[in-house]
Amino acid sequence: MHITDIYNQAAAEGRARFSVELLPPLKGDGPGRVFEALDPLREFAPVSVNVTSHREDVKYVERENGLLERHTVRRRPGTVGISAAIMRRYGVEAIPHLICGGQSRYDLEDALIDLDFLGIDNVLALRGDNLRGEHSFRVHPDGHGHACELVRQIARMNEGVFIDGEVEDCHRTNFCIGVAGYPEKHCEAPNPAEDMRRLKEKVDAGADYIITQMSFDNASILAFIENCRAAGIDVPIIPGIKPFSTKAQLTMLPQIFHVDLPEVLVREVEKCPTNREVREVGVEWAVAQGRELIAAGVPILHFYTMGKTDNMVKIAQALF
Ligand SMILES: NC(=O)C1=CN([C@@H]2O[C@H](COP(=O)(O)OP(=O)(O)OC[C@H]3O[C@@H](n4cnc5c(N)ncnc54)[C@H](O)[C@@H]3O)[C@@H](O)[C@H]2O)C=CC1
Ligand SMILES: Nc1nc(=O)c2c([nH]1)NC[C@@H]1CN(c3ccc(C(=O)N[C@@H](CCC(=O)O)C(=O)O)cc3)CN21
């Protein structure tokens, strides 16, 4: 079922639902840990599970002669496979992330054909991050430089048009296309208005809904939704919430994801003697955020749970 249909259903019923996001297993791990994380959430009936996609990392290994050898290692492959496994095991929609970084348009087309055969028809279309150690996004010679181009490719496939042109009387894919939106602006955008224009471009290219980057501040999220509406973006917007879970995230989250952490949250986290208490603070903050957003009429909330889900179980108990 398309996420947009689930969203409309939740809105019509006035019953808020949620989705979660996790990382595919590290290379060499089986699917066990992913299932261990998802099993306890089954009873709360999440609408979908997003699975991130990770390109290769660059690693330098020192040789005996002291020279450095450059290796590229993909530490978390398997996004498509684990998505299919999740759908089979739980009967929920899995939403694999598709990223442009490091892939040609042909690689992406092949991946989309696999997804279609697997019965996965929700995808999140992203540009993807820079390769670690690179200061700007390097476009694959035969790939896409921006998410809107990937959205266009998928939308055209839904119309029966492949990269090499139209295939007569072909089987049509039926992808529901999600894209990312940034309540606190994407780090590369020169200003919020320009970022909004780029988001509108993705929707005009065929995106069916938006999932937001994590934000710890409902005022930012609600202002973002209002600004989208004012800019003529009328697709569903699903706010992203990250249950705060470690002290290290005080610097990691602003550094990696370019999000602000509210002063009150920072003070509460700093007071915690260990990460066990930080996890509790994270649960309380996420529950308060969720409660307010649901009261404001948001039908679906997206939680960046990523690894262990003990905190998400508590959040789901409180909200859903
Ligand atoms: N690996 C994963 O699973 C996930 C990754 N992300 C990350 O989100 C970030 C960006 O991805 P998207 O939002 O999909 O990228 P995007 O292509 O929509 O936007 C990236 C940046 O380029 C700008 N931009 C967009 N179109 C443009 C154009 N035609 N000309 C000039 N500038 C343009 C945007 O304002 C923004 O600053 C990446 O860092 C991505 O990796 C987000 C969610 C999940
Ligand atoms: N710029 C950007 N790149 C991304 O890959 C990305 C976004 N933004 N925003 C949305 C999601 C969120 N992603 C996330 C979010 C959190 C962790 C994280 O908390 N990592 C922790 C714990 C990992 C775990 O629990 O297993 C870490 O310490 O790395 C990782 C990826 C991936 N996505």
Side-chain angles (χ1 to χ4, degrees), residues 21-23 50-55 96-100 124-130 137 145-149 179-182 185-191 194-199 201-202 211-213 256-257 304 306:
E21 179 160 326
L22 48 79
L23 307 161
N50 279 55
V51 183
T52 57
S53 177
H54 301 264
R55 55 187 306 188
H97 292 189
L98 275 181
I99 54 173
C100 304
L124 193 71
L126 301 155
R127 183 198 67 180
D129 289 313
N130 309 341
F137 183 78
H146 299 288
C148 65
E149 295 161 36
V179 291
Y182 299 84
K185 188 182 88 60
H186 186 257
C187 59
E188 293 165 34
N191 57 56
E194 196 68 15
D195 208 25
M196 186 59 75
R197 204 164 65 80
R198 296 309 183 184
L199 182 56
E201 206 168 60
K202 292 196 274 193
I211 297 189
T212 81
Q213 175 65 295
I256 311 259
F257 301 114
Y304 291 105
M306 310 323 284

Side-chain angles (χ1 to χ4, degrees), residues 71-123:
H71 290 261
T72 52
V73 200
R74 199 153 173 235
R75 289 170 59 238
R76 291 187 187 271
T79 298
V80 170
I82 197 77
S83 296
I86 289 168
M87 267 181 71
R88 191 171 55 183
R89 185 175 165 102
Y90 301 101
V92 294
E93 293 302 331
I95 311 184
H97 292 189
L98 275 181
I99 54 173
C100 304
Q103 305 199 74
S104 74
R105 296 173 298 150
Y106 294 92
D107 297 332
L108 287 160
E109 188 173 271
D110 288 352
L112 286 158
I113 289 170
D114 280 341
L115 290 173
D116 181 51
F117 289 166
L118 286 165
I120 297 178
D121 56 12
N122 290 288
V123 292

Side-chain angles (χ1 to χ4, degrees), residues 180-186 189-204 210 220-234 237:
Y182 299 84
E184 297 169 25
K185 188 182 88 60
H186 186 257
N191 57 56
E194 196 68 15
D195 208 25
M196 186 59 75
R197 204 164 65 80
R198 296 309 183 184
L199 182 56
K200 175 82 165 43
E201 206 168 60
K202 292 196 274 193
V203 174
D204 291 344
I210 295 163
S220 300
I221 295 172
L222 294 170
F224 173 73
I225 296 176
E226 231 172 81
N227 292 339
C228 287
R229 301 308 180 218
I233 295 172
D234 53 12
I237 300 173

